[in-house]
Amino acid sequence: AVVHGQPAIAVPISSLRAHAVVESGERLTIIARDTNETVPVDLTAQIVENALALMARLVLEHTGCPPPPVTIHVSSDIPLASGLGSGAAVSTALGRALAQVLKVTLAPEDLNRMVYRVEQMHHGTPSGIDNTVIVYEKPVYFVRNQALELLQIARPFTVVIGDTGHKALTHVSVGVVGRLYEANKSGIGVVFERIGAIAN
């Protein structure tokens, strides 16, 4: 529903984090523990097919800095493919770690834009909500393509999340819903409106 323009309220889950640890190396390389991959960053490549390499490239292009000779180890406490934003969290941690190595400051709106670009690689047409909540680390009232509204929480509350252990790729679910909507815009549109009404 959010992908299709409905509003949502989203909050960061601060007890679950992504991590990036930097050590010296021969060339800029990213090692992802959770996916067991080692990614050298090649700025000469015409097409970047790895999300971690894309995030590093976006930071380097934005800052105009050359790749530093470091290895960045990334990992996440967030279960993968669980709809909790693990990919956006890892991209955010990587972007901040690389900026720190380069001794530059990334404005939240710039970092958010870069993480969203990576989310497009993961999900095709993401809502933009994961990257926004994670980068700003604040609750938000979110409507796609509208100005971000940060929320103030009046009193603490608890959110209980159950993890079934069943992995589901977000872009697959978004694609299925998109096809349902295209096949029945009036019927599915009513469902979207009911979902959006909850946030209002």
Side-chain angles (χ1 to χ4, degrees):
V2 179
V3 169
H4 294 275
Q6 292 298 320
I9 294 172
V11 298
I13 305 168
S14 300
S15 58
L16 297 176
R17 313 286 299 181
H19 311 276
V21 178
V22 180
E23 64 181 18
S24 60
E26 294 183 3
R27 57 175 298 191
L28 178 56
T29 303
I30 304 158
I31 298 177
R33 183 188 70 194
D34 302 310
T35 55
N36 195 29
E37 60 183 328
T38 299
V39 182
V41 178
D42 180 7
L43 294 183
T44 65
Q46 293 293 317
I47 299 173
V48 182
E49 296 182 347
N50 180 280
L52 297 171
L54 176 60
M55 186 64 205
R57 186 172 188 154
L58 291 170
V59 172
L60 294 170
E61 288 175 351
H62 177 77
T63 61
C65 296
V70 297
T71 298
I72 304 177
H73 298 263
V74 294
S75 61
S76 179
D77 302 332
I78 306 165
L80 300 179
S82 64
L84 294 175
S86 181
V90 168
S91 294
T92 301
L94 173 60
R96 287 179 174 151
L98 184 53
Q100 189 172 26
V101 170
L102 298 171
K103 296 183 170 51
V104 297
T105 300
L106 291 178
E109 57 271 21
D110 292 328
L111 180 59
N112 194 32
R113 177 180 48 78
M114 290 181 240
V115 176
Y116 181 74
R117 284 273 308 278
V118 177
E119 286 288 278
Q120 288 177 306
M121 176 180 280
H122 283 303
H123 306 308
T125 54
S127 66
I129 202 164
D130 283 0
N131 49 283
T132 301
V133 169
I134 289 167
V135 168
Y136 286 90
E137 294 189 68
K138 293 185 181 299
V140 299
Y141 177 82
F142 181 92
V143 182
R144 190 174 186 176
N145 298 323
Q146 292 188 20
L148 177 67
E149 184 179 341
L150 299 178
L151 298 178
Q152 297 297 322
I153 303 301
R155 56 184 177 271
F157 63 93
T158 300
V159 176
V160 178
I161 300 169
D163 182 8
T164 64
H166 178 72
K167 297 185 181 307
L169 297 174
T170 302
H171 76 273
V172 174
S173 300
V174 169
V176 169
V177 172
R179 288 190 291 277
L180 286 172
Y181 178 64
E182 288 302 317
N184 181 10
K185 288 192 175 181
S186 59
I188 301 300
V190 169
V191 175
F192 286 165
E193 288 171 8
R194 288 177 183 162
I195 292 170
I198 296 170
N200 285 323

